[in-house]
Amino acid sequence: SVDASLYLGRKKGEIPVGKIKLKERAPDFTLMDTNGEKFRLSEWKGKKWIYLVLNRGFAWPYTKKHLMQLHQDMEKFDDKDTIIVNVGPEDRKTFEEVWIKNGFSFYGLGDEKKEVLKGYGQDVKALKLGRMPAQMIIDQEGILRYIHYGTSMQDIPENHEILGILESFGTD
């Protein structure tokens, strides 16, 4: 069983001020997806688990690597009744170009104003050249069940770790 209060890369209980919290409702948001459709988080309540990935931008190699890994493991997430939602600081058009070029089938949401990224507490560290990656698991009731704030650009949990956490929550 996974201790969902464990924040990888941080000591237990060490949550930066203003961050979202486990076992609380995930803040709702609406962004345009790569198809020009509105994606509203709350519309998934009662339907699917959500693996929410906040990336640091397409220019970073670890972002590209992680997106490709997510693409390769899409079926495994589908088997866990989980959709993947990637949010990044670029505009919708840039997301659309990247999604078409790579054939991604999970959700890609541009947050050019960075409102969702800030609302979910994505850190910006000048000494580490920008935004730190962050990942969350949101259950079918819209409750945050897992939160990971990366401490460096490569601090991204592997898919098998996330899939194991989903399994521990009984998503099979």
Side-chain angles (χ1 to χ4, degrees):
S1 153
V2 172
D3 179 357
S5 65
L6 179 66
Y7 289 71
L8 300 176
R10 298 187 190 279
K11 294 178 182 153
K12 186 173 179 176
E14 180 186 341
I15 306 167
V17 175
K19 301 283 190 207
I20 55 174
K21 294 183 181 167
L22 281 174
K23 300 180 184 173
E24 290 187 3
R25 184 155 313 283
D28 197 17
F29 64 84
T30 302
L31 290 170
M32 299 299 282
D33 71 14
T34 55
N35 297 316
E37 303 287 327
K38 285 186 180 179
F39 177 96
R40 183 174 180 144
L41 183 70
S42 60
E43 289 179 0
W44 289 92
K45 186 176 178 188
K47 297 177 185 175
K48 298 274 186 181
W49 286 70
I50 297 170
Y51 178 37
L52 182 62
V53 177
L54 307 181
N55 75 42
R56 62 183 273 134
F58 296 133
W60 299 97
Y62 290 104
T63 297
K64 292 176 185 177
K65 177 183 173 193
H66 189 220
L67 291 173
M68 291 309 293
Q69 290 169 341
L70 291 171
H71 178 65
Q72 291 168 355
D73 287 341
M74 268 294 299
E75 284 185 36
K76 293 176 184 176
F77 283 94
D78 285 342
D79 290 347
K80 302 278 184 232
D81 205 26
T82 301
I83 62 167
I84 299 168
V85 179
N86 180 274
V87 179
E90 293 86 1
D91 61 26
R92 191 196 70 77
K93 189 73 175 155
T94 303
F95 259 83
E96 181 182 356
E97 290 167 5
V98 170
W99 255 239
I100 289 170
K101 178 182 176 186
N102 293 286
F104 296 151
S105 57
F106 52 92
Y107 287 94
L109 309 175
D111 184 19
E112 189 174 12
K113 295 180 182 175
K114 301 163 189 67
E115 292 171 350
V116 173
L117 300 173
K118 288 177 189 171
Y120 274 80
Q122 187 183 42
D123 280 342
V124 177
K125 298 192 179 195
L127 294 177
K128 296 196 179 186
L129 303 173
R131 301 187 163 281
M132 295 295 102
Q135 299 79 30
M136 292 89 189
I137 294 174
I138 302 166
D139 70 17
Q140 291 175 321
E141 296 307 310
I143 304 300
L144 286 152
R145 299 288 297 272
Y146 169 87
I147 301 170
H148 172 85
Y149 291 107
T151 57
S152 68
M153 67 179 123
Q154 68 266 24
D155 185 7
I156 301 170
E158 297 288 333
N159 287 347
H160 69 87
E161 294 174 73
I162 297 298
L163 290 162
I165 292 167
L166 284 163
E167 189 171 321
S168 78
F169 290 139
T171 58
D172 288 325

